[in-house]
Amino acid sequence: MDNMKMRAQLKGDVVEVKVLMSHPMETGRRKDDFDRLIPAHFVQLLTATLNGKPVLEAQWGTGISKNPYLTFRLKGAKVGDIVAVTWHDNHGETASQDIAVTQA
C-alpha cells in the first residue's frame, strides 16, 4: 500500500516539499455504529531529512486530520538532492518515503 505521496520542487532558491499521507488519525473519542469507542490511532512523530541530515521534526497528536497534508520549504537544496519523510504512530507502525528534488 502506498502510504505517502510526495513532491519536492526547486523554485528559485527554495525547495517546496508537499507530502500527502494516508492515515486514519483516530482521536479515540469517536464511536462506531454500535456505540463503541474507536481506539486512538494517530501519527506521533514525523521527521524529514535532506540528504540524510534532519531538517524537520514534528510531534503530532489527535488534533491532526485524517490523511494529513504537510507542506514545508527548504533552503540550500539543489536539483537531485534527496528529501526523505518518515512518520511513526502510536500503534508502532511507520512509513517512509524519499524523493529527489526536481526543477519546478
Side-chain angles (χ1 to χ4, degrees):
M1 186 171 138
D2 199 12
N3 287 342
M4 282 194 268
K5 294 181 181 178
M6 289 180 58
R7 181 169 57 187
Q9 292 185 321
L10 182 63
K11 298 177 179 177
D13 64 342
V14 175
V15 173
E16 185 176 75
V17 180
K18 295 182 178 182
V19 184
L20 179 62
M21 295 161 255
S22 293
H23 197 280
M25 298 300 287
E26 287 290 345
T27 64
R29 293 183 213 123
R30 200 165 66 90
K31 293 183 178 180
D32 64 12
D33 293 339
F34 302 104
D35 208 30
R36 295 178 299 209
L37 283 175
I38 298 171
H41 188 194
F42 56 91
V43 172
Q44 289 183 306
L45 178 65
L46 179 131
T47 58
T49 62
L50 175 65
N51 296 325
K53 293 183 179 179
V55 292
L56 173 75
E57 182 176 300
Q59 294 181 4
W60 287 359
T62 57
I64 306 295
S65 67
K66 179 180 179 180
N67 299 327
Y69 176 73
L70 172 70
T71 299
F72 59 97
R73 293 175 178 83
L74 300 169
K75 278 191 168 184
K78 56 187 181 300
V79 172
D81 285 352
I82 302 297
V83 177
V85 173
T86 302
W87 59 252
H88 304 274
D89 71 15
N90 66 322
H91 286 188
E93 298 171 9
T94 187
S96 185
Q97 185 162 347
D98 55 50
I99 192 167
V101 174
T102 60
Q103 187 69 45

